[in-house]
Amino acid sequence: MLKFKWFQKPFRPRDIAISSDNTYYSLDNNNNQVVVNDENEHVIRYFGKKELKDPLDIGISPVDGTVYVTDMGGHCVRVYTRYGKYLRSFGSQGKGQGQFDLPWGVAISSTGMVFVADNLNMRIQVFDADDQYLCSFDCQSGDGKMRCPRGIAIDDQYVYVTTDTSSSLLKFESSGKFVCRIDSDSDGLDCPTGIALTDDVPCRVVVADTNNHCIKVFVQ
């Protein structure tokens, strides 16, 4: 169990990502920073305290190990090297292209494209590896209606999204075309948040079902 007595406030992890070399990157919400440790719980470094205001989600690029953190307090996505050097941020508060209203989940594709769940704007925004806006998708009808997206996970073909107010698990093509709703009303998801994919083919979709206090696994 990780405990850090030298931090100003108790360690309060909000999200975690694991790099290709099996290093753990945890978001410490109480101290507004990223904590990096190995699988034996040894702390390697921590960073982001100078920039982060209220971090929500973290993703690591499979291309070069770049670390992306959604910062609710800064209305942006902050970008760091794997060693914790601050590179840049992109986004601002608003409803326009490249702007955010409560940026939540973030995921990076095998080609370096960055997908961000823009929660209160009820859409997913897509950026290239240079942080340039490419497109967004915000299905607003039928089973694919996207209301307050939170968690996001991607594979080489599809984007998987958990939504808050409609409490559903949605699947889209990377272009934004709605494919299907994976869960059903009888599954009883209640405020699903974090989401991850297994390496199976087809993959299993693992969801943190927050208000039901459990993890649920869906097979496509």
Side-chain angles (χ1 to χ4, degrees):
M1 180 181 295
L2 295 177
K3 295 182 179 179
F4 308 109
K5 296 181 179 179
W6 62 90
F7 289 176
Q8 292 180 347
K9 298 179 181 180
F11 176 63
R12 183 171 180 258
R14 177 175 264 173
D15 192 33
I16 189 167
I18 303 175
S19 67
S20 58
D21 62 356
N22 220 28
T23 301
Y24 294 20
Y25 291 73
S26 306
L27 277 187
D28 177 9
N29 180 245
N30 264 356
N31 294 286
N32 291 331
Q33 62 187 354
V34 178
V35 179
V36 186
N37 64 278
D38 62 25
E39 53 191 323
N40 296 314
E41 302 183 2
H42 297 134
V43 176
I44 300 171
R45 69 184 66 90
Y46 49 94
F47 59 87
K49 200 173 185 67
K50 291 182 179 179
E51 302 86 27
L52 294 170
K53 298 179 181 179
D54 193 356
L56 272 180
D57 202 74
I58 185 169
I60 299 176
S61 171
V63 178
D64 57 8
T66 302
V67 180
Y68 292 78
V69 180
T70 54
D71 190 354
M72 178 176 67
H75 308 287
C76 65
V77 177
R78 301 197 186 274
V79 188
Y80 299 84
T81 69
R82 70 180 73 186
Y83 304 109
K85 180 182 178 181
Y86 182 55
L87 296 175
R88 60 192 183 273
S89 67
F90 61 92
S92 60
Q93 187 174 20
K95 298 183 180 300
Q97 295 180 354
Q99 294 185 311
F100 302 110
D101 193 353
L102 185 52
W104 200 295
V106 60
I108 302 90
S109 75
S110 59
T111 59
M113 294 171 61
V114 182
F115 293 73
V116 182
D118 189 4
N119 184 274
L120 295 183
N121 283 326
M122 301 189 186
R123 63 188 178 184
I124 302 297
Q125 294 201 69
V126 187
F127 302 83
D128 66 18
D130 296 317
D131 311 332
Q132 298 301 304
Y133 172 86
L134 295 176
C135 62
S136 62
F137 49 98
D138 53 353
C139 186
Q140 292 297 309
S141 63
D143 286 341
K145 188 171 185 178
M146 189 185 303
R147 299 182 64 183
C148 298
R150 285 189 169 190
I152 183 169
I154 58 178
D155 59 23
D156 288 338
Q157 289 183 288
Y158 299 108
V159 180
Y160 302 82
V161 180
T162 58
T163 67
D164 180 11
T165 55
S166 56
S167 288
S168 56
L169 172 57
L170 309 177
K171 180 178 180 179
F172 298 85
E173 294 180 357
S174 58
S175 63
K177 180 181 178 181
F178 175 67
V179 176
C180 66
R181 177 180 171 184
I182 294 178
D183 70 313
S184 63
D185 290 338
S186 61
D187 291 318
L189 286 174
D190 190 356
C191 192
T193 51
I195 180 173
L197 306 177
T198 69
D199 292 330
D200 305 63
V201 180
C203 69
R204 288 175 290 169
V205 186
V206 185
V207 178
D209 193 2
T210 303
N211 287 349
N212 285 321
H213 310 283
C214 66
I215 301 295
K216 290 183 178 177
V217 182
F218 297 86
V219 180
Q220 301 179 74

